[in-house]
């Protein structure tokens, strides 16, 4: 009778009180909780960045750097394979040394909030920089190349068409930069440790997801059928390299942050 009362009043019942089973259960719980945080961080940083870019351009009167189809594509990538593959990360051995988590601590703590905000802001500034600089360079080259002779006809129609093409090209660069930002940000969200210590190929599903997403993005930019659907243009190789370099800044910043965080953690543990 007493045991039944204890079962009804308990929040948790141990069916198997073997110590090895308890350790395995704790490890599984820590892994699930950690992967939930990885998933949320990736989702929120992408959403905040996309919303901030759209809001800024709307309020400032700039053309939107992402059209509706491109935003839909970003959402498919965000909710698709890369995000799902983050839930298959294995628990690192040193994570079992972490103290028990307070059940009242929110999932999105102050550290995670800073990571989401800083990552999103880097993506916003980088995407807007590529978009605005591409618009300026295109308009400058257009003004130099456009004829000013009065003997030419349909100048206004030609200028309008050229301006539209320049906006589309700048949108394609911004679109590609933002998608590559997501790929690098997904690397950041794999864990608290550096990707070089964690291992780039330890999560095979993640590697397949990132590789497939990059390949599909190249299809969207360079294959005529997808260009028609997503309103993109083939971008020059040098512009593609620029997109890669700028989007990698979110990864470089995170690696530097993790390096300092690891040094601080090791120093605190030694005290």
């Amino acid at each position: 009778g007493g045991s039944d009362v204890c079962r009804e009043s308990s929040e948790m019942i141990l069916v198997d009180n073997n110590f090895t089973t308890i350790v395995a259960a704790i490890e599984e719980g820590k892994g699930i909780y950690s992967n939930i945080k990885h998933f949320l961080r990736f989702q929120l940083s992408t959403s905040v960045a996309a919303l901030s870019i759209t809001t800024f351009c709307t309020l400032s009167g700039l053309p939107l750097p992402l059209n509706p189809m491109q935003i839909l594509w970003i959402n498919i990538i965000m909710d698709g394979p890369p995000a799902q593959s983050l839930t298959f990360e294995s628990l690192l051995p040193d994570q079992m040394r972490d103290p028990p988590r307070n059940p009242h601590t929110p999932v999105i703590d102050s550290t995670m909030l800073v990571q989401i905000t800083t990552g999103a802001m880097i993506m916003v500034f980088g995407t807007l920089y590529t978009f605005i600089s591409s618009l300026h360079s295109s308009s400058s080259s257009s003004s130099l190349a456009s004829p000013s002779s009065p003997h030419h006809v349909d100048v206004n129609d030609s200028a309008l068409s050229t301006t539209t093409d320049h906006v589309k090209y700048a949108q394609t660069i911004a679109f590609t930069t933002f998608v590559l930002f997501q790929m690098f940000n997904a690397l950041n969200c794999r864990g608290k440790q550096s990707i070089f210590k964690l291992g780039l190929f330890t999560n095979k599903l993640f590697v397949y997801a990132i590789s497939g997403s990059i390949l599909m993005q190249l299809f969207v930019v360079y294959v005529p059928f997808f260009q028609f659907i997503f309103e993109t243009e083939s971008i020059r190789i040098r512009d593609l390299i620029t997109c890669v370099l700028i989007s990698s800044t979110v990864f470089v910043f995170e690696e530097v942050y993790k390096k300092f965080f690891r040094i601080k953690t090791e120093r605190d543990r030694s005290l």
Side-chain angles (χ1 to χ4, degrees):
S3 60
D4 294 336
V5 174
C6 292
R7 287 174 180 270
E8 293 177 1
S9 61
S10 300
E11 294 184 0
M12 179 183 297
I13 301 174
L14 295 179
V15 180
D16 184 358
N17 61 356
N18 186 284
F19 182 75
T20 304
T21 305
I22 295 175
V23 171
I26 294 174
E27 183 177 358
E28 184 70 18
K30 282 180 174 287
I32 293 173
Y33 180 77
S34 179
N35 289 339
I36 289 175
K37 297 193 69 170
H38 298 163
F39 180 84
L40 286 176
R41 180 187 169 187
F42 180 71
Q43 293 272 326
L44 292 176
S45 57
T46 301
S47 299
V48 170
L51 182 60
S52 300
I53 291 171
T54 304
T55 302
F56 175 82
C57 290
T58 302
L59 295 178
S60 61
L62 288 171
L64 291 178
L66 303 170
N67 62 45
M69 285 300 297
Q70 292 169 357
I71 294 176
L72 179 62
W73 177 251
I74 291 170
N75 287 331
I76 291 174
I77 289 181
M78 183 181 69
D79 295 326
Q84 299 297 329
S85 64
L86 288 173
T87 62
F88 290 90
E89 290 292 333
S90 301
L91 186 70
L92 298 176
D94 63 344
Q95 286 184 269
M96 287 297 290
R97 297 191 299 170
D98 293 341
R101 180 182 60 86
N102 188 336
H104 301 291
T105 301
V107 176
I108 304 176
D109 54 18
S110 58
T111 301
M112 184 176 174
L113 189 61
V114 170
Q115 291 174 327
I116 292 172
T117 305
T118 53
M121 289 303 101
I122 292 174
M123 289 187 277
V124 169
F125 290 134
T127 303
L128 289 177
Y129 171 78
T130 56
F131 179 65
I132 296 174
S133 61
S134 179
L135 281 178
H136 285 320
S137 62
S138 298
S139 60
S140 299
S141 61
S142 175
S143 61
L144 292 174
S146 60
S148 57
S149 172
H151 300 290
H152 289 275
V153 295
D154 296 332
V155 174
N156 292 333
D157 292 341
S158 177
L160 180 61
S161 176
T162 303
T163 302
T164 304
D165 291 341
H166 288 161
V167 171
K168 184 184 292 187
Y169 189 84
Q171 284 179 330
T172 305
I173 290 180
F175 175 44
T176 303
T177 302
F178 192 82
V179 170
L180 291 176
F181 262 129
Q182 306 319 307
M183 302 300 102
F184 283 109
N185 188 44
L187 286 173
N188 295 338
C189 296
R190 285 190 59 189
K192 295 187 294 184
Q193 290 189 348
S194 168
I195 191 64
F196 302 107
K197 186 175 181 180
L198 184 64
L200 186 61
F201 301 102
T202 52
N203 186 344
K204 293 290 193 299
L205 289 177
F206 180 84
V207 175
Y208 298 149
I210 294 297
S211 301
S213 298
I214 294 175
L215 185 62
M216 288 188 294
Q217 178 64 22
L218 293 176
F219 285 164
V220 168
V221 173
Y222 291 103
V223 176
F225 174 75
F226 294 107
Q227 287 179 336
F228 173 76
I229 295 176
F230 292 95
E231 299 182 10
T232 58
E233 289 188 356
S234 298
I235 60 178
R236 295 183 291 267
I237 296 300
R238 66 182 182 183
D239 289 332
L240 180 60
I241 294 175
T242 301
C243 294
V244 174
L245 292 177
I246 291 178
S247 60
S248 65
T249 55
V250 72
F251 174 73
V252 173
F253 178 86
E254 181 71 14
E255 285 296 312
V256 173
Y257 170 80
K258 288 179 179 179
K259 177 69 174 179
F260 283 104
F261 182 80
R262 183 176 62 83
I263 293 175
K264 180 180 179 301
T265 303
E266 291 177 353
R267 185 170 61 246
D268 293 342
R269 284 177 176 176
S270 61
L271 296 178

